[in-house]
Amino acid sequence: MNGYLRLLTAFALGMATVSGFAPFYFYPVPVITLAMLCLLWRGSKTPFQAGLTGFAFGMGLFGAGVTWLYVSLHDFGHMTMPLAVVALVVLCAYLSLFPALAGWLGSLRRLSSTWAWPGVVAALWALMEWVRGTLFTGFPWLTVGYSQAPDSPLAGFAPVIGVYGLSLLLMLSAAWLACWLENRQHRRVWLWLGSIWFTGLGLQQIHWTQPEGEPVTVSLLQGNVPQNMKWEPEHLAATMQTYARLVRESTSRLIVTPEISFPLFVEQAPQDFLELLAEHARARQGDVLIGMVERDLANDSYYNTMFSLGSSPGQSYRKYHLVPFGEYIPLKPVFGWIIDVLHIPLSDFSRGGLDQQPMALAGQRVAINICYEDVFGEEIILQLPQASLLVNVSNDAWFGRSIGPRQHLQISQMRALETGRYMLRATNTGVTAIIDERGRVLQQLEMFTTAGLHGSVQGFGGATPYVRFGNNLVFALIGGLLLMGGLAAFSGKRKNSVK
């Protein structure tokens, strides 16, 4: 295969991989596309060619999978079309460096020619995804492990080794499949593949957490406030009236509104209005969560905060993991000019503490995460096992009518699987949903509708292995596989020793 055809094939495979994620949920597809990528890597003449192939795969994956960022930058951030396109291409190129590095390292001569190569490339892939999800505050969107939630047999491993562990097993399966396609005599591959996938099915039968207490009624409110009107002062009264009506229509004990549902500073909120909401909640021995901006004048700081009103003592949660360029400007001396290009209100928030604990609300212990905080599973578990429920509040209106909100929903499904807890999502325009501890969507609202989602949910106690150990287990697997690869490389064993 010539160089250009190889790169085009890798790019197409990356694009096809997106169908494994929501809203498509074709979870077997990434196994096939990654196996084809592995074949391209094994056929590469040099590590540089393998790295370039991995880069092309990444450009296809991210180019097709994060197109919703263009909507955020151009349609709502008012960035000019050429600049928005350039920004998106630059971001995709940066993200593609990680599969490129995995391909380059995995194709080093000593490693690529050993029997341990499938384990090595799987470990490198998972490691690069973790680095991508951590470096410069991280962007772990489209981590391939998410494609397996909630229906794939591999999803059974989520409560044990988390999403990066699923990425490792997915790439290991793909690498084994590639070895079989390369040499049909490697029949043991099917035994190894079967052992992993059937183990995943077995793990799905284990209940790592247990129901705790009585079920609680909940209402998740979706105001459907247009993003281009959300921060307009003349639209504030209509927004507050919408949420007031939705709150009054609820008979639930726990009522949740989206991120910054009331777009104003908390001290500006009419106290009689807040008291009406609190009284409604107290009449049902419950609580309501509302999102507003908190201002610390002494330190000239702003926080994206959720406040509770009702029967329980007033509590709050400040968002910790901020969106770069959306909620804060990194390296201001270098990137400060972006404030003038992107017309995003309050784009310089401060971080809340990482040690915040669950709120005691409506008889539950509620761990709140705001916007894309739920993309970081290792941070979600910091409020566990104390929390009995997870709540994600978001404003995915920034994504428009793209696949972004559905991808975000699948990420929340993974968090439910990892923690063995219900995840409740209250969003401005969707997807507002109730997800059970198995990662299954029990109820959801139609996107871009104004409504409340009413249901009954069960709190859970206990801890999954992932809650107890976080990513340490997958780090141990990565280290073990890389050690095996190193030993195999230096012992002189060759790939033709695989039988």
Side-chain angles (χ1 to χ4, degrees):
M1 184 181 296
N2 66 53
Y4 290 116
L5 182 58
R6 173 186 296 274
L7 296 180
L8 284 173
T9 301
F11 183 84
L13 289 171
M15 291 186 66
T17 303
V18 176
S19 66
F21 296 87
F24 313 105
Y25 289 102
F26 299 145
Y27 67 82
V29 171
V31 183
I32 299 170
T33 56
L34 290 173
M36 296 300 102
L37 174 63
C38 287
L39 279 177
L40 292 176
W41 278 342
R42 292 190 66 78
S44 298
K45 297 178 181 179
T46 65
F48 177 79
Q49 188 180 60
L52 201 58
T53 301
F55 183 84
F57 180 91
M59 289 299 290
L61 172 65
F62 299 113
V66 298
T67 51
W68 46 266
L69 277 172
Y70 176 83
V71 179
S72 302
L73 295 172
H74 178 262
D75 294 5
F76 299 119
H78 302 291
M79 184 178 280
T80 63
M81 184 181 70
L83 191 56
V85 170
V86 169
L88 184 59
V89 171
V90 169
L91 175 64
C92 290
Y94 163 72
L95 298 175
S96 299
L97 293 176
F98 297 96
L101 188 56
W104 181 79
L105 291 172
S107 297
L108 294 176
R109 188 169 183 81
R110 281 184 176 271
L111 289 175
S112 63
S113 59
T114 71
W115 59 269
W117 180 82
V120 169
V121 76
L124 289 171
W125 183 274
L127 181 60
M128 289 301 103
E129 286 201 327
W130 176 82
V131 173
R132 171 167 65 86
T134 306
L135 193 64
F136 306 128
T137 77
F139 190 81
W141 214 274
L142 293 182
T143 295
V144 294
Y146 284 120
S147 68
Q148 303 304 292
D151 297 323
S152 166
L154 291 184
F157 288 96
V160 182
I161 52 180
V163 67
Y164 294 116
L166 265 64
S167 289
L168 186 149
L169 295 179
L170 186 60
M171 179 54 92
L172 183 61
S173 300
W176 278 338
L177 182 58
C179 288
W180 180 79
L181 291 172
E182 187 181 52
N183 185 345
R184 303 299 176 88
Q185 295 180 355
H186 298 165
R187 296 177 182 176
R188 289 185 183 179
V189 163
W190 296 105
L191 176 62
W192 300 336
L193 280 171
S195 66
I196 285 183
W197 286 70
F198 279 107
T199 298
L201 282 174
L203 290 172
Q204 287 180 329
Q205 313 311 309
I206 298 176
H207 295 275
W208 300 100
T209 55
Q210 303 77 42
E212 186 176 85
E214 296 297 320
V216 62
T217 53
V218 299
S219 292
L220 310 177
L221 309 186
Q222 182 173 290
N224 191 32
V225 179
Q227 185 59 38
N228 58 355
M229 301 174 66
K230 181 179 174 70
W231 291 93
E232 297 296 331
E234 60 270 21
H235 196 71
L236 177 60
T239 296
M240 297 179 71
Q241 289 170 8
T242 294
Y243 280 110
R245 174 177 62 80
L246 292 174
V247 168
R248 289 195 301 267
E249 290 174 354
S250 168
T251 60
S252 301
R253 291 190 62 197
L254 179 61
I255 303 172
V256 186
T257 71
E259 172 190 16
I260 312 186
S261 45
F262 299 162
L264 76 174
F265 295 112
V266 62
E267 67 268 18
Q268 296 175 336
Q271 291 305 306
D272 55 345
F273 177 82
L274 297 182
E275 181 56 32
L276 284 174
L277 301 183
E279 182 58 35
H280 179 88
R282 283 195 290 266
R284 289 152 183 79
Q285 297 182 316
D287 298 280
V288 57
L289 280 166
I290 60 176
M292 290 185 286
V293 179
E294 185 179 3
R295 179 165 52 181
D296 185 344
L297 293 175
N299 298 312
D300 192 27
S301 301
Y302 304 89
Y303 300 94
N304 185 344
T305 305
M306 293 298 295
F307 298 90
S308 73
L309 304 170
S311 300
S312 306
Q315 300 155 77
S316 64
Y317 171 83
R318 293 172 168 176
K319 185 177 182 182
Y320 166 77
H321 209 123
L322 304 178
V323 181
F325 303 109
E327 292 178 313
Y328 82 102
I329 304 299
L331 300 174
K332 267 191 180 180
V334 179
F335 297 112
W337 59 272
I338 291 180
I339 296 177
D340 299 323
V341 175
L342 283 174
H343 302 282
I344 298 176
L346 295 172
S347 57
D348 200 13
F349 282 101
S350 297
R351 297 177 185 274
L354 191 56
D355 58 348
Q356 298 175 88
Q357 292 303 301
M359 293 187 188
L361 303 172
Q364 298 291 324
R365 298 180 304 280
V366 181
I368 297 174
N369 50 88
I370 298 176
C371 190
Y372 93 144
E373 281 189 311
D374 65 340
V375 179
F376 303 94
E378 61 271 33
E379 293 175 7
I380 297 296
I381 62 174
L382 294 178
Q383 297 193 57
L384 295 168
Q386 296 91 334
S388 57
L389 287 176
L390 303 179
V391 169
N392 175 256
V393 294
S394 189
N395 178 27
D396 289 350
W398 286 100
F399 302 164
R401 297 182 181 273
S402 68
I403 61 176
R406 296 289 179 182
Q407 292 175 351
H408 198 181
L409 173 69
Q410 189 175 37
I411 288 169
S412 288
Q413 291 178 272
M414 181 61 71
R415 297 291 88 83
L417 280 165
E418 289 174 345
T419 61
R421 300 291 195 282
Y422 271 65
M423 171 68 90
L424 313 181
R425 302 194 75 240
T427 69
N428 177 24
T429 55
V431 181
T432 296
I434 296 175
I435 303 168
D436 73 7
E437 81 284 3
R438 297 290 199 175
R440 298 169 297 200
V441 176
L442 301 183
Q443 297 174 247
Q444 63 179 299
L445 288 177
E446 190 70 28
M447 292 186 65
F448 298 100
T449 58
T450 304
L453 181 62
H454 312 291
S456 178
V457 303
Q458 175 67 59
F460 276 78
T464 65
Y466 182 75
V467 167
R468 294 183 184 278
F469 304 110
N471 288 324
N472 290 327
L473 293 178
V474 73
F475 289 153
L477 285 173
I478 289 172
L481 290 170
L482 292 178
L483 179 61
M484 288 171 57
L487 292 174
F490 286 104
S491 67
K493 294 184 179 180
R494 300 298 180 185
K495 63 180 179 181
N496 58 12
S497 65
V498 181
K499 297 180 180 179

